[in-house]
Amino acid sequence: GAVVSQHPSRVICKSGTSVKIECRSLDFQATTMFWYRQFPKQSLMLMATSNEGSKATYEQGVEKDKFLINHASLTLSTLTVTSAHPEDSSFYICSARELAGGRNEQFFGPGTRLTVL
Amino acid sequence: AQKITQTQPGMFVQEKEAVTLDCTYDTSDPSYGLFWYKQPSSGEMIFLIYQGSYDQQNATEGRYSLNFQKARKSANLVISASQLGDSAMYFCAMRARRDDKIIFGKGTRLHILP
């Protein structure tokens, strides 16, 4: 299957700082990327849907001003956690959808573990 | 609204036995897809198997098979001949054609005993 990368894989930051997480589709173009958050021992919760060249669509209860999403190209989406607080500590996973040749498949990145001190 | 329900938070199974992980779903969309993912302790999401709502036959992928009962809205995962490496978290997920988002159930933690 296609490969999706995330960078960084782990990040530790101080409370109040901003953190940017990158999600890249390495060998295909992704018009849509999805961002999920997973707290320990819990399921993946969809945060937002990111479409290339347009504003992201956020799920109910997700603060768009806190979780800034930019999908500037067909292979890159970024999630910026602004003014991070300890409660933002979580595992963030992106996925990228490939729509080509009649396929509609979604591939997940390896995740980014964010720890806010 | 769409919903995925996994009622088994944890399961212990002896190595080499078959195991069934339960999943029920709810959607008003007639066209949807059902997925199973494995998440080991490393955190990566590993795709296991997919079933389309219009597929006539149950999906199979190696030791994995999906017991799809459309009228009951259930999509149980069956792992045959379990191995120690199967120990992980397993998530059932659904994507409705209407909005194309994949939503996940709460997961089942599977422990394979030697």
Side-chain angles (χ1 to χ4, degrees):
Chain A
V3 178
V4 176
S5 71
Q6 278 184 244
H7 178 78
S9 56
R10 291 178 179 272
V11 56
I12 300 173
C13 69
K14 291 182 179 180
S15 187
T17 60
S18 294
V19 175
K20 181 186 282 188
I21 302 170
E22 293 185 349
C23 176
R24 292 182 186 272
S25 56
L26 296 185
D27 50 3
F28 67 100
Q29 293 185 330
T31 54
T32 303
M33 291 184 174
F34 302 89
W35 286 95
Y36 293 84
R37 179 168 57 182
Q38 185 180 30
F39 291 112
K41 300 189 190 301
Q42 294 191 24
S43 185
L44 280 74
M45 299 300 296
L46 181 65
M47 299 174 67
T49 302
S50 162
N51 290 299
E52 186 265 338
S54 64
K55 289 184 178 180
T57 303
Y58 290 81
E59 294 299 301
Q60 194 172 9
V62 178
E63 299 174 59
K64 62 180 181 182
D65 294 330
K66 180 165 186 62
F67 299 100
L68 300 178
I69 291 172
N70 184 283
H71 193 159
S73 78
L74 287 172
T75 59
L76 173 64
S77 176
T78 60
L79 168 69
T80 302
V81 183
T82 63
S83 187
H85 290 289
E87 57 264 31
D88 298 324
S89 298
S90 188
F91 193 55
Y92 292 87
I93 305 175
C94 74
S95 71
R97 187 176 72 183
E98 181 182 21
L99 274 177
R103 284 157 49 183
N104 182 358
E105 295 189 53
Q106 208 162 312
F107 304 95
F108 284 84
T112 296
R113 194 165 299 282
L114 170 63
T115 303
V116 185
L117 303 176
Chain B
Q2 300 164 80
K3 189 177 179 181
I4 293 281
T5 302
Q6 293 180 255
T7 57
Q8 306 153 308
M11 287 187 70
F12 290 82
V13 173
Q14 208 67 41
E15 189 182 8
K16 298 181 185 175
E17 289 185 352
V19 56
T20 298
L21 304 180
D22 295 341
C23 173
T24 58
Y25 61 91
D26 193 19
T27 179
S28 57
D29 198 320
S31 178
Y32 52 89
L34 297 159
F35 304 78
W36 277 92
Y37 289 89
K38 173 183 178 182
Q39 188 180 42
S41 56
S42 60
E44 62 184 309
M45 297 294 286
I46 301 171
F47 166 76
L48 296 179
I49 196 166
Y50 170 81
Q51 179 87 42
S53 58
Y54 293 118
D55 292 344
Q56 295 295 314
Q57 302 215 351
N58 286 347
T60 60
E61 288 285 347
R63 293 188 298 115
Y64 305 107
S65 60
L66 200 152
N67 184 359
F68 181 44
Q69 298 191 41
K70 194 170 183 177
R72 295 172 119 184
K73 292 190 175 181
S74 78
N76 298 342
L77 176 71
V78 180
I79 306 174
S80 63
S82 58
Q83 302 170 356
L84 295 177
D86 293 334
S87 294
M89 196 74 174
Y90 287 80
F91 291 99
C92 179
M94 176 172 67
R95 178 177 65 202
R97 177 172 288 278
R98 182 186 307 148
D99 56 21
D100 240 1
K101 298 182 290 192
I102 292 182
I103 61 166
F104 289 83
K106 290 189 173 182
T108 296
R109 181 161 294 281
L110 177 63
H111 304 267
I112 305 299
L113 305 171

